[in-house]
Amino acid sequence: QVRLVESGGGLVQAGDSLTLSCVASGRTFGRFVMGWFRQAPGKEREFVAAISWSDGSTRYADSVKGRFTISRDNAKNTVYLQMNSLKPEDTAVYFCALDRGREIVPRVTAKDYDFWGQGTQVTVSS
């Protein structure tokens, strides 16, 4: 099993920056993809960004391209989401997830991810 623990959420103003972290523990050997999803009240969980653990290839949702950056630290088993120029519409619970069925070319559908963190709240005020 894999355990994912997110941190770094909070309340910020529009235009501010925030960095989320997700530490993976357990059976994290092998090749996989780690991603970030978010879910706002009354909405479905949506893809934000993902990164291949092996080659570092990334994929982003159109809504965050140019503002968010996903990165990883293999030695620390940690994935980060640097969020700049935050907007009120970025307000959501952000979840870290791991896809064991993929090595590169990250997938964007939540059902493809096998393990999930508990989520961290990000609130952007206008």
Side-chain angles (χ1 to χ4, degrees), residues 1-5 22-34 51-54 72-79 96-103 114-116:
Q1 292 297 317
V2 173
R3 183 176 183 228
L4 304 175
V5 179
C22 173
V23 180
S25 60
R27 298 174 67 85
T28 57
F29 55 84
R31 300 177 178 181
F32 49 86
V33 162
M34 289 195 71
I51 187 167
S52 163
W53 210 250
S54 58
R72 85 238 193 262
D73 185 328
N74 294 46
K76 295 182 179 180
N77 274 358
T78 301
V79 63
C96 173
L98 187 147
D99 180 0
R100 287 185 306 184
R102 203 73 164 183
E103 179 180 345
D114 305 288
F115 299 97
W116 292 83

Side-chain angles (χ1 to χ4, degrees), residues 61-82:
D62 289 341
S63 59
V64 305
K65 278 181 183 176
R67 299 189 299 123
F68 291 10
T69 302
I70 189 170
S71 61
R72 85 238 193 262
D73 185 328
N74 294 46
K76 295 182 179 180
N77 274 358
T78 301
V79 63
Y80 304 96
L81 186 67
Q82 172 69 42

